[in-house]
């Protein structure tokens, strides 16, 4: 019987065996490389988290050392007893205007314009009809302005839900008050005109301690409207001593520098809140990374996804340092730097929220200059009332009323305002942001028929 043949496995092809060995060696090499990269990334994340955490804590410690906070709730205006709170009355007055004269602005904005062509667009009958329709609302607004403070319904505990609907309402009410003041003056009623001017100024002051830059800008806008109105009123009627004192007191209440400092601290708190949202909200983080990416690349997203939390800490530390420098500069010099912030490439969030605040700083100085013009005009009119003439210089002019603060310098130069007599009146002016004496000419005023952007003096002209 034949012995069965046992099949013998063929000898492996030496070339195939060599290829398999090479494959596994390469695979092991890649595995070691990837593992090494993961370890390096983890080590980099750890190192960056430690370094970023220390930098961030150092910035937070500087803020605490200054006695400051990043809590909007702590920066919010203090609580006001209901009986002393002007905010509900302002809201009610704004609703009354909306119902009684929804198109009031189409009449009153041209009526208040410095451009005579704009003014010609509206008839005295249209102005009178509009003011008559809103008269109950204005009585309520004056009552509100006489109260000591205003606490508006803002969600200061939530960066996302903080709404400032009252700003536009106050601007509209202020325009109505000044239009009424102009109308009263045109009809010889100095007492009512003064009451409306004072109410508009007190309204602006009611938002001075809100920790937002937009709130400060609205305050400055209302001041500008009120000062233009005061110039118009005093060009039409002579105020008596009591009326000048009341108006001077309203002008003297403002501390725009402290208001701006408080607002900058509020902006810093808003920024810190956004960093928290960026870190805790994946949808917000993803969208921010996409929006901030330069065209044609995704390096920022990959960098953040790789280095993550530590990079965000460095970003926030840079932002807090930038904001502290802005605030320190404002506190020491009264001015904000005008340079664009040089934001590091890694500071993705800072690149979005770190603003250039110099324009807001200029608006503050303009509002300060306007308030000063108003106070000097009161004092000049008082001098004229006592002597029958305006002075040759400002040297002998004294503040209105007993115990009134000293008359201010031009905030742009810390030098006296420019002044000269013109006929039976005078011209008083600040040199404005360009710090160049443009002989009292601004971008647009009553002596010009067109705008000139190179001129920025702020002037008060009295014809008599």
């Amino acid at each position: 019987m034949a012995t069965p043949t046992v099949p013998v496995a063929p000898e492996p092809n030496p070339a195939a065996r060599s290829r398999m060995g090479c494959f596994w060696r390469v695979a092991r090499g890649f595995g070691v490389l990837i593992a090494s990269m993961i370890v390096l990334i983890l080590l980099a994340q750890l190192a960056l988290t430690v370094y970023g955490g220390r930098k961030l804590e150092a910035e937070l410690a500087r803020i605490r050392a200054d006695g400051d906070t990043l809590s909007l709730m702590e920066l919010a205006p203090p609580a006001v007893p209901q009986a002393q709170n002007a905010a509900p009355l302002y809201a009610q007055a704004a609703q009354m205007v909306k119902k009684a004269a929804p198109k009031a602005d189409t009449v009153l904005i041209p009526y208040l314009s410095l451009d005579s062509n704009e003014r010609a667009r509206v008839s005295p009958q249209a102005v009178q009809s509009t003011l008559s329709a809103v008269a109950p609302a204005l009585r309520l607004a004056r009552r509100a302005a006489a109260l000591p403070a205003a606490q508006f319904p803002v969600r200061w505990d939530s960066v996302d839900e903080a709404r400032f609907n009252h700003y536009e309402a106050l601007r509209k009410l202020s325009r109505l008050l000044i239009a009424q003041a102009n109308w009263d003056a045109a009809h010889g009623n100095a007492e009512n005109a003064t009451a409306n001017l004072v109410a508009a100024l007190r309204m602006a002051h009611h938002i001075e301690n809100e920790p937002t830059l937009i709130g400060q800008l609205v305050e400055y806008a209302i001041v500008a409207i009120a000062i233009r109105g005061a110039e118009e009123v005093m060009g039409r009627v002579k105020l008596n001593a009591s009326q000048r004192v009341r108006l001077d007191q309203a002008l003297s209440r403002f501390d725009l520098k402290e208001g701006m400092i408080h607002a900058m601290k509020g902006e810093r708190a808003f920024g810190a809140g956004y960093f928290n949202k960026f870190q805790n909200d994946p949808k917000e983080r993803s969208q921010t990374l996409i929006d901030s990416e330069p065209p044609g690349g995704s390096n920022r997203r990959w960098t953040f996804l790789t280095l993550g939390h530590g990079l965000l800490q460095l970003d926030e530390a840079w932002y807090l340092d930038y904001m502290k420098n802005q605030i320190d500069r404002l506190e020491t010099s009264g001015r904000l730097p005008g340079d664009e912030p040089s934001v590091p490439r890694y500071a993705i969030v800072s690149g979005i929220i770190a603003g250039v605040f110099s324009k807001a700083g200029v608006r503050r100085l303009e509002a300060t200059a306007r308030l000063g013009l108003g106070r000097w005009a009161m004092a000049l009119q008082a001098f004229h009332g006592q002597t029958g003439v305006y002075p040759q210089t400002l040297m002998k002019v004294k503040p209105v009323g007993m115990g009134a603060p000293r008359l201010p310098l031009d905030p742009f130069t810390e030098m006296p305002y420019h002044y000269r007599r013109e006929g039976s009146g005078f011209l008083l002016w600040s040199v404005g942001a360009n710090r160049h004496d443009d002989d009292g000419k601004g971008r647009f005023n009553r002596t010009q028929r067109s705008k000139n952007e190179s001129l920025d003096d702020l002037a008060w002209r009295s014809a008599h």
Side-chain angles (χ1 to χ4, degrees):
M1 185 174 180
T3 303
T5 303
V6 179
V8 178
E11 287 289 326
N13 187 312
R17 186 166 53 197
S18 175
R19 285 196 297 274
M20 286 296 293
C22 182
F23 170 79
W24 286 112
R25 284 194 299 274
V26 171
R28 282 195 299 271
F30 270 115
V32 171
L33 178 62
I34 292 171
S36 300
M37 289 179 65
I38 291 172
V39 170
L40 287 173
I41 289 171
L42 291 173
L43 288 173
Q45 285 181 337
L46 179 61
L48 193 59
T49 298
V50 172
Y51 177 69
R54 288 177 178 172
K55 291 281 288 184
L56 179 57
E57 182 52 42
E59 292 302 325
L60 294 172
R62 291 174 69 199
I63 293 171
R64 289 193 295 268
D66 289 341
D68 291 334
T69 178
L70 291 178
S71 166
L72 272 175
M73 281 294 291
E74 293 181 36
L75 291 167
V80 179
Q82 190 65 20
Q84 300 176 19
N85 188 5
L89 298 184
Y90 285 137
Q92 187 180 343
Q95 286 301 314
M96 292 168 68
V97 170
K98 190 178 293 186
K99 290 180 181 178
K103 296 183 178 180
D105 280 351
T106 61
V107 174
L108 298 183
I109 290 178
Y111 175 62
L112 293 172
S113 174
L114 294 175
D115 186 344
S116 58
N117 293 326
E118 282 291 301
R119 287 194 170 199
R121 288 175 45 207
V122 293
S123 67
Q125 293 78 11
V127 175
Q128 184 178 25
S129 175
T130 301
L131 292 175
S132 296
V134 299
L138 293 187
R139 283 195 293 271
L140 192 58
R142 286 191 294 270
R143 200 175 118 208
L147 293 173
Q151 184 182 22
F152 295 93
V154 178
R155 286 286 308 275
W156 296 109
D157 61 332
S158 172
V159 171
D160 291 334
E161 297 181 33
R163 300 288 182 270
F164 306 99
N165 300 325
H166 56 291
Y167 290 153
E168 182 53 37
L170 293 180
R171 287 190 67 163
K172 182 170 287 191
L173 286 172
S174 70
R175 284 195 294 267
L176 290 167
L177 287 166
I178 298 307
Q180 184 65 62
N182 288 355
W183 183 266
D184 291 333
H187 293 80
N189 194 333
E191 180 59 31
N192 283 359
T194 302
N196 284 299
L197 290 171
V198 169
L201 288 165
R202 289 181 64 88
M203 182 184 295
H205 189 261
H206 274 161
I207 55 174
E208 188 171 78
N209 64 347
E210 290 199 351
T212 67
L213 270 183
I214 187 172
Q216 298 299 300
L217 293 173
V218 170
E219 179 188 16
Y220 307 156
I222 296 174
V223 165
I225 294 168
I227 294 300
R228 286 201 302 269
E231 182 182 359
E232 182 108 359
V233 165
M234 293 173 62
R236 290 178 167 177
V237 292
K238 289 289 185 182
L239 305 186
N240 63 34
S242 172
Q243 292 158 356
R244 286 194 295 267
V245 167
R246 283 157 51 202
L247 195 48
D248 186 73
Q249 287 173 343
L251 293 165
S252 303
R253 292 171 63 89
F254 293 87
D255 188 344
L256 299 186
K257 178 182 174 182
E258 286 304 314
M260 173 67 87
I261 291 170
H262 191 63
M264 289 292 291
K265 292 176 180 179
E267 292 297 316
R268 180 172 63 184
F270 271 108
Y274 188 77
F275 273 99
N276 290 335
K277 182 180 179 182
F278 183 88
Q279 182 171 342
N280 298 322
D281 186 339
K283 184 177 179 181
E284 179 73 24
R285 181 165 59 246
S286 175
Q287 191 59 49
T288 300
L289 290 170
I290 292 171
D291 292 344
S292 67
E293 192 63 54
S298 58
N299 292 336
R300 286 188 172 185
R301 275 175 280 168
W302 282 112
T303 302
F304 183 83
L305 292 172
T306 303
L307 300 177
H309 184 61
L311 201 63
L312 186 62
Q313 288 177 311
L314 281 178
D315 191 347
E316 186 170 3
W318 183 90
Y319 172 76
L320 294 178
D321 176 65
Y322 168 73
M323 289 300 291
K324 187 175 189 319
N325 290 337
Q326 296 277 314
I327 293 166
D328 288 348
R329 174 79 174 271
L330 180 58
E331 288 179 330
T332 55
S333 70
R335 303 179 190 276
L336 287 166
D339 301 332
E340 289 273 352
S342 181
V343 183
R345 282 187 56 80
Y346 66 79
I348 297 170
V349 179
S350 295
I352 297 169
I353 64 175
V356 181
F357 301 109
S358 57
K359 287 186 179 179
V362 170
R363 298 290 89 80
R364 178 184 70 83
L365 292 174
E366 288 176 346
T368 304
R370 289 187 172 102
L371 292 168
L373 287 170
R375 293 200 63 220
W376 275 101
M378 296 298 122
L380 283 164
Q381 195 181 85
F383 186 97
H384 185 277
Q386 293 166 359
T387 65
V389 295
Y390 288 110
Q392 291 289 346
T393 71
L394 297 177
M395 294 292 291
K396 295 182 179 180
V397 181
K398 296 180 180 179
V400 172
M402 295 291 293
R406 62 181 296 181
L407 291 166
L409 299 172
D410 183 345
F412 286 102
T413 60
E414 295 301 320
M415 300 288 286
Y417 284 88
H418 290 263
Y419 165 82
R420 69 167 175 261
R421 294 200 323 190
E422 288 192 340
S424 60
F426 66 86
L427 179 65
L428 176 72
W429 71 97
S430 158
V431 297
N434 68 8
R435 294 175 177 78
H436 179 267
D437 180 8
D438 297 313
D439 199 38
K441 296 182 177 67
R443 294 185 183 91
F444 191 97
N445 60 45
R446 292 183 177 86
T447 63
Q448 295 166 239
R449 294 294 179 183
S450 61
K451 290 185 179 180
N452 187 332
E453 294 297 332
S454 67
L455 306 175
D456 71 349
D457 285 0
L458 304 168
W460 182 299
R461 186 182 298 273
S462 176
H464 55 77

